[in-house]
Amino acid sequence: MRFRRGSRVLPGRLGPPALALVLAGLAPAAPARAQAAAAPAAEGKTLFGTLCVACHTVGGGALVGPDLAGVTERRPREWLLRWIREPDRMLAAGDPTAQQLFEEFHRVPMPNLGIDASQAAALLAFLESGSAAAPARPAELPAGDPTVGKALFVGERRFANGGPPCMGCHSVAGLGALGGGALGPDLTPSYNKYGGAAGLASFLEGVPTPTMKAVWAPRPLTPAERADLRVFLEQASVSGRPIEAVGKLAALATGGAVLLLAVAQIHWRKRLVAVRRPLLARARQDRSV
């Protein structure tokens, strides 16, 4: 069979051997395209297991954040791409869906993890691929010792990898009148706030917020330490500080104010004498005249 240059050849005019040759030439391209499409989803699965699994599942139920099964059908693609990259800016801008999620999930903001456009696209490709390939989490959580958890929290027992005691930044009810540091949030309601045992365990494992990750990524908690802290925080999770602690705080505040006033009175007791005495003397002199 001869082809003239510039001629248009229709498939129907090709003989069976030539058509088979054309199809054979096209056949290898299909698996290659499928492999290329699967690559971002595979990358997204790895990213999900690293960045997202501490707070989210795909079909496993809500943790700190929502279950992401079918999220690509519930939200517009462009919204998801932006939300993955800059949730803090969307919350600050008052995006209604972002605000709704913030309120629904115990006012825990989704942190900005520094995800770039390529990584966001890969994560979305993974979420679009279905939930069957989602990284699995342990079905049962290890038991912990709340006494050991409290010792780790207050620094009576050191973390195996050298992390600082939680009490340096966080407070929790039941640790005396002062309860701990004020650099981080009060962890008294953390058990319910982070979605119960599974959510808190995931949070302690991934410590997804930028501040926590900067501190704990080089000094990860061991599985036993995570379990001990989880059960300690579970026991400490109450609706509010006990009335005894509130009374102690009020007494300490009142006592401190009285002490400061007494010190000020003693230190500056002669400060106005030089002013008052001439004024009193002048007043008495005026009355006598």
Side-chain angles (χ1 to χ4, degrees), residues 275-289:
V275 178
R276 289 175 178 171
R277 282 183 176 174
L279 291 175
L280 288 173
R282 183 178 299 176
R284 289 170 182 166
Q285 185 178 6
D286 292 341
R287 283 199 296 270
S288 63
V289 172

Side-chain angles (χ1 to χ4, degrees), residues 61-111:
L63 293 176
V64 182
D67 184 340
L68 298 182
V71 69
T72 55
E73 299 171 1
R74 298 193 300 272
R75 313 286 183 208
R77 179 180 177 80
E78 292 305 317
W79 187 94
L80 286 171
L81 287 172
R82 188 186 173 199
W83 177 245
I84 292 171
R85 295 186 61 193
E86 47 186 33
D88 51 342
R89 293 184 179 179
M90 293 179 71
L91 268 174
D95 180 273
T97 305
Q99 292 289 340
Q100 176 191 344
L101 291 171
F102 178 66
E103 296 295 336
E104 183 178 352
F105 287 91
H106 311 288
R107 303 180 67 81
V108 177
M110 177 169 161

Side-chain angles (χ1 to χ4, degrees), residues 167-245:
M167 197 174 180
C169 296
H170 299 281
S171 64
V172 71
L175 294 182
L178 298 180
L183 291 176
D186 182 355
L187 297 184
T188 304
S190 58
Y191 180 78
N192 295 322
K193 185 174 183 178
Y194 293 109
L200 186 56
S202 295
F203 188 89
L204 290 172
E205 182 178 354
V207 286
T209 64
T211 302
M212 291 288 288
K213 191 173 284 295
V215 174
W216 291 103
R219 313 171 187 86
L221 297 168
T222 65
E225 289 169 344
R226 293 198 300 269
D228 294 335
L229 284 172
R230 189 193 75 242
V231 294
F232 165 65
L233 293 173
E234 180 178 354
Q235 289 190 355
S237 187
V238 294
S239 57
R241 289 181 183 278
I243 190 64
E244 296 83 3

